[in-house]
Amino acid sequence: MTYQTILLVIDATEHENDLTAAADLCAAANAHLSVLLVKLAAPPPLGEFAAMSVAWLDERAEDMRQLDEAVERARATLKGLGISCDANGIYCETAWADDDVGKRARYADLTLIGASLKTDAPLRARAIDGALFYSARPVLLATNRQSVTLRPKKILLAWNSSIEAARAAREALEMMESAEEVNVVLVDPSAAPAKNGEEPGADVAAYLARHGINVTVDRLPSAGRRIEEVLNQHAIDTSADLIVMGAYGHTRLRERIFGGVTKAMIEAPTVPVLMVH
């Protein structure tokens, strides 16, 4: 689909690089950039009468002051970049941050998570979960190594015949149509009519080809490696600009306890990743 509004989620500090990168992204796509600066509220102290602690109230007041200043700095930075944009801040409790981000993300076509959020793991996790589960919109994860683009030349589509993977493919259809090459990657696929079909990858390749997409199917053995390792390495080997994948085929609780491909790709993306739940 065409992305007309991009939501960038950042914290109140160390976000200048994300702002300029997102501005470049929106300028190239002729899209509106909506910036959401998030500050997680200081948790209340414990103990008798702790909730009325003056020090805690002062800390929260200082946090909100810093957030207001950060919003003004962001607006000043964006003002000179010549793009359609807006910037706002929210001060929210950690427990509700995902819901707050998700509500804002519903009014954007895509939520961009910049590389700077890696320094604030709690906020990054909440922002990603909020965008994925409470907005019905895709999430684009940036990396430190590679610029993010909405017009990638080479795309890796991670395919496992799941509903989430199908949603991701449909979401990225327009990007794949304009890409030079799309590699549909299946790791240790099994030929089964109820899953991948008698020829794994053939059905999705035919679907993409009917849209004029130059598609190649790569069936890769894991050879003892984790699936995310295979995907990341193949993205490097094929010089992919973007990985497109479905997110959380298993529940979030199961992924957090036992791990999973989605969790691993969120924690350490090698190239930018477009995720759809």
Side-chain angles (χ1 to χ4, degrees):
M1 64 171 291
T2 301
Y3 300 111
Q4 295 293 343
T5 303
I6 310 298
L7 175 68
L8 172 67
V9 181
I10 53 179
D11 65 5
T13 59
E14 304 297 330
H15 54 246
E16 292 298 325
N17 290 339
D18 282 351
L19 274 179
T20 54
D24 290 343
L25 179 77
C26 290
N30 194 28
H32 177 86
L33 175 61
S34 184
V35 179
L36 181 63
L37 292 94
V38 183
K39 181 73 173 178
L40 297 182
L46 302 176
E48 189 176 4
F49 305 115
M52 299 302 295
S53 167
V54 174
W56 174 59
L57 295 174
D58 288 344
E59 181 181 2
R60 291 170 70 95
E62 176 62 17
D63 284 346
M64 287 186 276
R65 185 190 66 80
Q66 292 178 1
L67 177 61
D68 289 341
E69 290 181 352
V71 171
E72 291 305 316
R73 289 196 303 270
R75 289 172 177 168
T77 298
L78 293 169
K79 187 176 181 180
L81 297 180
I83 62 168
S84 174
C85 60
D86 66 81
N88 295 281
I90 57 171
Y91 186 68
C92 56
E93 305 297 332
T94 300
W96 308 115
D98 48 359
D99 187 51
D100 289 336
V101 171
K103 287 177 180 176
R104 300 296 183 99
R106 293 170 196 170
Y107 304 103
D109 298 306
L110 174 75
T111 297
L112 174 61
I113 305 296
S116 70
L117 275 192
K118 289 183 179 179
T119 61
D120 191 340
L123 175 55
R124 186 173 186 271
R126 291 286 182 175
I128 293 172
D129 281 359
L132 281 176
F133 290 96
Y134 298 111
S135 75
R137 300 289 189 269
V139 173
L140 181 58
L141 304 178
T143 70
N144 289 319
R145 306 176 185 177
Q146 190 171 348
S147 298
V148 180
T149 177
L150 295 178
R151 297 176 181 173
K153 294 181 178 180
K154 294 187 177 183
I155 297 175
L156 187 157
L157 172 62
W159 187 256
N160 61 1
S161 300
S162 67
I163 292 176
E164 292 78 15
R167 288 174 182 152
R170 184 66 184 86
E171 182 67 40
L173 196 59
E174 190 170 308
M175 285 194 288
M176 291 191 287
E177 288 174 345
S178 62
E180 295 176 359
E181 183 179 359
V182 174
N183 290 82
V184 175
V185 177
L186 299 90
V187 181
D188 293 335
S190 58
K195 189 171 177 67
N196 293 307
E198 295 181 1
E199 186 180 350
D203 290 338
V204 66
Y207 164 72
L208 297 177
R210 293 188 196 105
H211 285 273
I213 296 170
N214 179 24
V215 58
T216 300
V217 176
D218 297 327
R219 305 179 188 93
L220 305 178
S222 60
R225 296 174 296 170
R226 294 181 180 274
I227 292 176
E228 62 271 13
E229 293 174 356
V230 177
L231 294 175
N232 280 324
Q233 185 59 54
H234 201 62
I236 295 172
D237 293 342
T238 58
S239 300
D241 303 305
L242 179 71
I243 294 176
V244 175
M245 61 178 288
Y248 290 112
H250 302 298
T251 65
R252 279 183 287 176
L253 179 60
R254 178 175 173 179
E255 291 247 356
R256 284 170 178 166
I257 295 175
F258 299 107
V261 178
T262 303
K263 180 175 182 290
M265 295 297 285
I266 286 174
E267 291 178 347
T270 301
V271 302
V273 180
L274 182 76
M275 288 187 169
V276 180
H277 177 63

